[in-house]
Amino acid sequence: MKYLHTMLRVKNLEKSLEFYCNVLNFRLVSKDEFKEGEFTLAFLQAPNDDKDGPTLELTYNWGVDQYEIGTAYGHLAFEVTDIFEFQKKLQKFGHDLSWGPKKSPSGKRYIAFMVDPDGYKIELLEPRPASGELS
C-alpha cells in the first residue's frame, strides 16, 4: 500500500493556491478543469517531499462557495524547521498561527496550529527539542 493524497474541497481555488503555493511553498503538480463535471482539481506537493511522494488535492466544485468542516476532520500536519521563523513568514503574508507555539503534549518538541483560507486546521511540528521557556 502507498499513501497517495489527501483531498480538501475549497470554495476559492485561486485563494487556496495562493496560500498553499506562496505562503507554505507547496509546488503545483497539476491543475485540470473538468467542464462536463464542473470541477477543477489541483494537486500540490510539500516543498521537501519527493516527486513520487503524497500530494494535497484541492477540489473546486464550480459555483460552490460554502462547505461545512465535519467534526470528524482533524488536521493536516507538517514539519517545519523553526516554528518561530515560520510564524514570521505567515505574518508577512497576512496570516498567523491560531494556537501556539507551545511544547507538544510529550514536551519534546514545539507545536503550533494555523488555519487555511477554508478553515482547515494545519498542525506545525518542529523537530528540534523544545527548550524550557514555553508552556
Side-chain angles (χ1 to χ4, degrees):
M1 184 181 296
K2 179 180 176 183
Y3 179 66
L4 297 177
H5 68 267
T6 297
M7 185 271 272
L8 299 176
R9 289 182 179 91
V10 299
K11 50 192 171 188
N12 182 320
L13 183 59
E14 295 312 313
K15 188 173 182 179
S16 293
L17 286 172
E18 185 275 328
F19 177 79
Y20 282 99
C21 293
N22 296 339
V23 178
L24 300 186
N25 290 332
F26 277 59
R27 65 183 169 277
L28 180 63
V29 175
S30 67
K31 180 180 168 188
D32 296 296
E33 290 187 354
F34 297 88
K35 292 180 181 175
E36 189 172 303
E38 297 185 342
F39 65 94
T40 303
L41 300 180
F43 286 88
L44 312 172
Q45 276 191 314
N48 293 314
D49 283 350
D50 295 332
K51 287 188 176 188
D52 292 335
T55 57
L56 178 63
E57 174 188 345
L58 301 180
T59 298
Y60 172 63
N61 293 300
W62 302 356
V64 178
D65 62 0
Q66 188 68 27
Y67 290 104
E68 289 185 32
I69 298 174
T71 58
Y73 173 79
H75 59 265
L76 300 171
F78 299 103
E79 183 177 277
V80 296
T81 304
D82 184 318
I83 283 181
F84 302 95
E85 287 300 314
F86 193 83
Q87 183 179 24
K88 289 177 188 175
K89 179 183 177 182
L90 288 174
Q91 291 168 341
K92 180 181 170 186
F93 282 93
H95 300 276
D96 204 349
L97 299 174
S98 59
W99 182 89
K102 296 184 182 237
K103 285 185 181 180
S104 65
S106 70
K108 295 179 182 177
R109 306 192 314 169
Y110 288 121
I111 183 174
F113 281 86
M114 60 183 297
V115 179
D116 84 352
D118 289 282
Y120 294 109
K121 293 179 185 175
I122 300 171
E123 178 181 5
L124 304 171
L125 290 162
E126 185 176 307
R128 70 180 169 159
S131 60
E133 72 268 8
L134 293 179
S135 58

